[in-house]
């Protein structure tokens, strides 16, 4: 990979103070019009129905609002009847589609460094979801979680993310690499063949999270295309791009809360440390923005609970544990306070077919 190709895919430096919440670079979506045509649909009316210009998807560095993109994917599924559209789209994606984060992982010295870089810098590409990395002595999980509210087609977005994650691992470890398990927080689609063909691993639908499992020792594997000089250059570029970002505190807190639920490591002290401030400072700044840490935590839990109730058959006890409640009773009581319904009642009303 030459320096010229990397530089051509690094997004232009954003204007200081520009908004950053809720966008995604068009990179992984550039193949969507061709995919729709391959599935027998004209992409133009589908794009037009969402107010999105197909021309914006020609440039991988164009930033597109996350929620309208999710609406577009929902319309694509409705038009094609394809339950695994996100997987098919992900198969057309290369790591370079992730911009700076994608190039960084290819030049990292080892798999562990590459994945930690991806977790830390994915927000330069995607401000609607977060990457997660959970590891212990024996096993590691690379995951993805949406943190915005009002997102449609979550199944397709999660399928897309996990397909891209698998392609990233095959880029790092070799084309024959397979996960030990694939977790997807959705009901099993009618046609499992595309999932089995691509992932080549045990599939676990109706999971509390989206993740690929693999042995922890693979984190130590060297990356074939490691380039210390280029990796350092890209790391400097990524830090400069982060420095240009205007941090919207509430949005950052919600992002970190969503990640903390996925990795079971949260709390106001942990989130404050990740933001580089004292707990009292965080609470004071949140109050100045008309909210509290507790309110943001409850909103995040409610968002995750609604997804798991509508899109999976995960039992309430497992949902309670995923939301870091001590037991099902505490979760049921909280959900009734949020929605006015018990979780079981809400699931009956909103269950996806």
């Amino acid at each position: 990979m030459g320096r010229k190709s990397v530089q051509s895919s690094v997004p232009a430096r954003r204007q200081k103070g520009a908004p950053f919440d809720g966008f995604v670079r068009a990179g992984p979506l550039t193949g969507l019009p061709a995919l729709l045509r391959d599935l027998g649909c004209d992409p133009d009316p589908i794009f037009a129905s969402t107010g999105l210009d197909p021309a914006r998807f020609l440039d991988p560095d164009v930033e597109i609002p996350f929620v309208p993109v999710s609406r577009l994917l929902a319309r694509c599924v409705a038009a094609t009847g394809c339950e695994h559209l996100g997987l098919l789209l992900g198969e057309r994606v290369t790591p370079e589609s992730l911009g700076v984060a994608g190039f960084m992982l290819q030049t990292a010295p080892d798999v562990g460094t590459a994945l930690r870089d991806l977790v830390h810098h994915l927000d330069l590409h995607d401000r609607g979801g977060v990457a997660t990395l959970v590891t212990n002595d024996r096993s590691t999980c690379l995951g993805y979680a949406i943190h915005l509210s009002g997102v449609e087609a979550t199944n397709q977005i999660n399928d897309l993310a996990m397909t891209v994650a698998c392609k990233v691992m095959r880029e790092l470890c070799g084309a024959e690499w397979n996960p030990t398990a694939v977790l997807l927080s959705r009901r099993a689609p009618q046609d499992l063949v595309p999932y089995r063909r691509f992932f080549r691993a045990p599939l676990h639908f109706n999971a509390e999270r989206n993740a690929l499992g693999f042995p922890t020792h693979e984190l130590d594997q060297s990356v074939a295309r490691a380039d210390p000089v280029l990796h350092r250059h890209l790391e400097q570029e990524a830090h400069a791009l982060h420095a240009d970002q205007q941090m919207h505190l509430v949005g950052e807190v919600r992002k970190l809360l969503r990640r903390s639920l996925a990795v079971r490591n949260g709390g106001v002290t942990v989130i404050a440390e990740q933001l580089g401030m004292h707990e009292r400072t965080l609470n004071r700044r949140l109050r100045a923005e008309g909210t509290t840490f507790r309110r943001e935590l409850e909103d995040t839990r409610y968002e995750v609970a609604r997804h798991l109730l509508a899109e999976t058959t995960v039992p309430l006890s497992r949902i309670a544990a995923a939301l870091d409640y001590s037991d099902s009773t505490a979760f049921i009581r909280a959900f009734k306070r949020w929605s006015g319904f018990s979780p079981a009642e809400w699931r009956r009303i909103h269950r996806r077919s």
Side-chain angles (χ1 to χ4, degrees), residues 175-341:
E176 299 306 310
W177 181 89
N178 296 320
T180 55
V182 179
L183 309 179
L184 294 168
S185 62
R186 60 167 296 172
R187 290 185 184 85
Q190 290 186 345
D191 186 4
L192 296 180
V193 172
Y195 294 85
R196 290 170 176 158
R197 173 181 49 78
F198 175 77
F199 288 111
R200 307 192 301 254
L203 302 170
H204 301 275
F205 293 95
N206 290 301
E208 298 95 320
R209 55 180 172 154
N210 303 283
L212 303 179
F214 57 91
T216 294
H217 67 78
E218 292 182 348
L219 295 175
D220 297 326
Q221 182 173 325
S222 298
V223 175
R225 297 166 67 183
D227 186 332
V229 174
L230 186 52
H231 186 265
R232 187 163 56 251
H233 166 76
L234 290 167
E235 190 171 35
Q236 292 170 350
E237 179 67 20
H239 285 303
L241 288 168
H242 274 126
D244 279 351
Q245 291 184 353
Q246 180 185 27
M247 186 180 78
H248 300 277
L249 182 62
V250 174
E252 289 296 313
V253 168
R254 289 173 181 168
K255 179 183 76 175
L256 294 175
L257 280 170
R258 185 64 189 93
R259 179 180 290 152
S260 75
L261 286 178
V263 303
R264 310 289 175 88
N265 181 26
V268 62
T269 302
V270 173
I271 300 299
E273 288 177 354
Q274 292 174 345
L275 292 169
M277 63 182 71
H278 193 277
E279 177 182 334
R280 288 194 297 270
T281 303
L282 174 59
N283 284 324
R284 183 177 65 251
R285 290 185 56 184
L286 287 173
R287 285 195 300 271
E289 296 199 21
T291 188
T292 65
F293 183 85
R294 183 68 182 178
R295 183 181 303 166
E296 296 307 319
L297 173 59
E298 293 297 282
D299 285 350
T300 302
R301 282 170 157 171
Y302 186 34
E303 194 70 33
V304 177
R306 285 184 294 174
H307 168 77
L308 292 176
L309 289 170
E311 303 290 354
T312 76
T313 59
V314 175
L316 298 187
S317 59
R318 283 168 48 192
I319 296 178
L323 299 179
D324 202 24
Y325 281 103
S326 57
D327 54 42
S328 299
T329 302
F331 165 58
I332 292 169
R333 186 165 54 246
F335 194 88
K336 288 191 74 171
R337 186 174 68 251
W338 300 331
S339 69
F341 296 92

Side-chain angles (χ1 to χ4, degrees), residues 107-182:
T107 60
D110 53 65
V111 173
T113 300
L115 297 185
R116 287 188 290 272
D117 285 343
L118 181 63
V119 168
H120 186 66
H121 297 298
L122 184 66
D123 64 343
L124 296 175
H125 161 74
D126 178 348
R127 296 281 290 186
V130 292
T132 61
L133 190 66
V134 182
T135 187
N136 59 39
D137 290 342
R138 298 183 60 185
S139 63
T140 292
C141 282
L142 173 64
Y144 178 83
I146 298 167
H147 65 80
L148 290 179
S149 59
V151 175
E152 300 181 37
T154 53
N155 290 343
Q156 305 307 321
I157 295 170
N158 290 329
D159 282 0
L160 168 62
M162 299 322 301
T163 304
V164 173
C166 191
K167 295 196 73 174
V168 163
M169 291 299 295
R170 287 171 180 162
E171 175 74 22
L172 296 173
C173 300
E176 299 306 310
W177 181 89
N178 296 320
T180 55
V182 179

Side-chain angles (χ1 to χ4, degrees), residues 32 35 39 73 76-77 80 82-89 156:
L32 183 57
L35 174 59
L39 292 173
L73 291 175
C76 291
V77 173
T80 62
C82 181
E83 287 187 282
H84 57 279
L85 184 137
L87 184 148
L88 294 178
L89 184 58
Q156 305 307 321

